[in-house]
Amino acid sequence: MTGRDSGAGLTTTPELAERYLMQTGRRLPVTFVRGEGCLVYDDTGREYLDLVAGIAVNLLGHAHPDVVRALASQASRLIHTSNLYFTEPQVELARRLVELSFPSRAFFCNSGAEANEAAIKLARKWGTKNRDGAFEIITTTGSFHGRTLAAVTAGGQHKYSDPFAPLPAGFVHVPYNDAEAIESATTDATVAVMLEPVMGEIGVVPAAAGYLERVRAWCDRKNLLLILDEVQTGLGRTGRWFAYQHTRIAPDVMTLAKGLGGGVPIGACLAAPRADVFEPGDHGSTFGGNPLACAVASTVLEIVERDGLVGHAAEMGDVLAQATADLGASQTRGVGLMRAFEFEAPKAKAFQHACLDAGLVVNAVDDHSVRLVPPLIITARQIDRAHGVMKQAAG
Ligand SMILES: Cc1ncc(COP(=O)(O)O)c(C=O)c1O
């Protein structure tokens, strides 16, 4: 037997995808081949305005010249070495992230799920050292932390975890925005509380005023770690570098991914000194923190800073909020350029298709809610264009 098979006769990309790719998710009927800024183009040359940005990833849009330059330049020097050696781009990226956030050190990996795996392992080791072997992590119903086994268990959505039982022990779920529920769920076995500052995947549910502060105070009082999953909210998306910066608190551990590499896969877990308990041999990743991804990520941070894109995201967030206010939605939610609106009728998917047909990329997270997480470089004019399409599609 050879690998040759009967793919003959299949011609379109969707047909070939069905034949050769595991069917882990449903795709919209479009094949993108290139992009530029906030625009993407399909295989027929048709243009679309992209309000999804690879699910909150492409902070600088598509094919940003500085990102392209950084990629080419680093690729021509050194792509990968493993973590058996030092590399300059990795240390430089860690320095930048720490200086933008809170006193900490960084571990690099390749995705949000991996960043959360690192945080979970860190919390467990910390519990062994500091809390008599406590290992339970309190997370919230509806949260999303990625697709590895521990991450789906940490996440509070049964549809992602139940098919894969038995699940790892040590995760307790409580309602979001309910600090009292966290307090009641805390036992001697609890080691950490893990939260998204804005729940993204479930449809952009922001933390209520005072919630994160109260949970921080509880963690301090009970000697627990506060882990914030900023995989989606981080790097300017909410109009601050990190969403926790809308408050006066800081986490002990913060996870990042998505926007960090401007489209190149990279994840990070930052730990404050009290939580920084990994020792040589405890954790690792062959590709994590490779020079290519780190050099690009440093460039992304540099451009976000140079072009004032964090403030721009806050400003454009207000414009985008306005553009979702008259679509007949029963609810609109969000912070900065992380927005959603909810229809009373189950028409989010039809709305998404109608937008796509009219050249606009939006993301229906379920039958009722639509999420918008455009590149941070989006302009008021582009939002106006999107508004026209959405108004028609909602009508
Ligand atoms: C808050 C949050 N955490 C973790 C993840 C998982 O990230 P990845 O898909 O890179 O593993 C996501 C992805 O949507 C996310 O939104």
Side-chain angles (χ1 to χ4, degrees):
M1 283 273 284
T2 72
R4 289 177 194 285
D5 69 12
S6 57
L10 306 176
T11 53
T12 69
T13 302
E15 283 170 349
L16 290 163
E18 187 170 345
R19 170 65 188 85
Y20 291 113
L21 297 178
M22 285 195 199
Q23 300 294 294
T24 56
R26 280 186 237 293
R27 297 170 199 259
L28 289 164
V30 63
T31 303
F32 289 126
V33 294
R34 72 183 180 89
E36 192 179 339
C38 294
L39 303 174
V40 272
Y41 298 85
D42 71 13
D43 54 357
T44 69
R46 178 141 195 250
E47 178 184 292
Y48 300 78
L49 178 57
D50 183 5
L51 298 194
V52 177
I55 321 184
V57 166
N58 305 308
L59 298 184
L60 304 178
H62 301 276
H64 191 286
D66 291 300
V67 172
V68 173
R69 240 190 319 272
L71 256 173
S73 158
Q74 187 59 46
S76 69
R77 266 180 296 164
L78 191 66
I79 293 178
H80 176 77
T81 58
S82 87
N83 288 302
L84 295 174
Y85 319 99
F86 296 101
T87 60
E88 290 164 1
Q90 189 179 117
V91 179
E92 170 60 12
L93 178 60
R95 184 188 67 77
R96 282 178 183 274
L97 285 174
V98 169
E99 287 179 1
L100 287 170
S101 58
F102 54 96
S104 55
R105 290 194 296 187
F107 167 80
F108 290 110
C109 48
N110 312 285
S111 67
E114 279 178 74
N116 287 327
E117 285 281 341
I120 291 163
K121 285 177 69 176
L122 198 61
R124 287 194 172 190
K125 173 129 195 219
W126 186 84
T128 303
K129 286 181 81 153
N130 297 291
R131 274 185 62 80
D132 213 13
F135 64 95
E136 263 179 20
I137 299 178
I138 299 175
T139 68
T140 62
T141 311
S143 65
F144 185 82
H145 298 295
R147 300 295 200 119
T148 62
L149 203 51
V152 289
T153 312
Q157 299 189 56
H158 289 288
K159 66 180 178 190
Y160 295 134
S161 57
D162 286 3
F164 308 105
L167 300 170
F171 295 93
V172 176
H173 298 93
V174 299
Y176 193 66
N177 275 335
D178 184 346
E180 215 170 287
I182 290 173
E183 293 166 10
S184 305
T186 301
T187 68
D188 287 345
T190 310
V191 72
V193 178
M194 180 169 173
L195 299 174
E196 291 172 81
V198 180
M199 288 204 294
E201 199 266 352
I202 194 82
V204 187
V205 179
Y211 177 55
L212 295 177
E213 288 89 338
R214 182 159 163 190
V215 176
R216 172 76 270 178
W218 180 253
C219 288
D220 289 342
R221 193 164 138 206
K222 292 292 173 181
N223 191 28
L224 308 174
L225 294 182
L226 176 60
I227 303 169
L228 290 185
D229 177 343
E230 294 240 19
V231 165
Q232 190 161 155
T233 53
L235 289 325
R237 167 90 18 220
T238 70
R240 295 277 201 282
W241 272 105
F242 306 101
Y244 79 81
Q245 292 169 342
H246 289 279
T247 73
R248 284 195 299 274
I249 62 119
D252 300 301
V253 178
M254 174 170 73
T255 55
L256 301 170
K258 288 201 182 273
L260 183 55
V264 172
I266 180 167
C269 175
L270 269 62
R274 84 183 270 253
D276 186 356
V277 291
F278 278 155
E279 294 164 293
D282 276 345
H283 198 47
S285 163
T286 298
F287 291 119
N290 65 77
L292 187 71
C294 288
V296 174
S298 277
T299 300
V300 170
L301 298 180
E302 196 182 317
I303 303 307
V304 168
E305 195 149 30
R306 183 195 74 190
D307 294 352
L309 293 176
V310 178
H312 182 73
E315 207 180 304
M316 288 303 108
D318 291 342
V319 178
L320 191 58
Q322 287 243 316
T324 59
D326 63 351
L327 303 177
S330 56
Q331 250 195 64
T332 61
R333 301 181 290 264
V335 192
L337 283 176
M338 189 172 175
R339 298 267 152 202
F341 47 93
E342 190 169 324
F343 294 116
E344 206 150 277
K347 64 175 197 180
K349 300 230 160 101
F351 175 87
Q352 173 181 247
H353 273 96
C355 286
L356 194 69
D357 286 345
L360 181 72
V361 185
V362 302
N363 173 227
V365 292
D366 56 31
D367 291 338
H368 294 269
S369 295
V370 176
R371 173 173 51 170
L372 307 178
V373 279
L376 305 191
I377 57 168
I378 196 160
T379 63
R381 195 178 207 161
Q382 287 171 321
I383 293 173
D384 191 48
R385 171 175 159 191
H387 175 244
V389 175
M390 291 194 292
K391 192 91 177 114
Q392 280 254 312

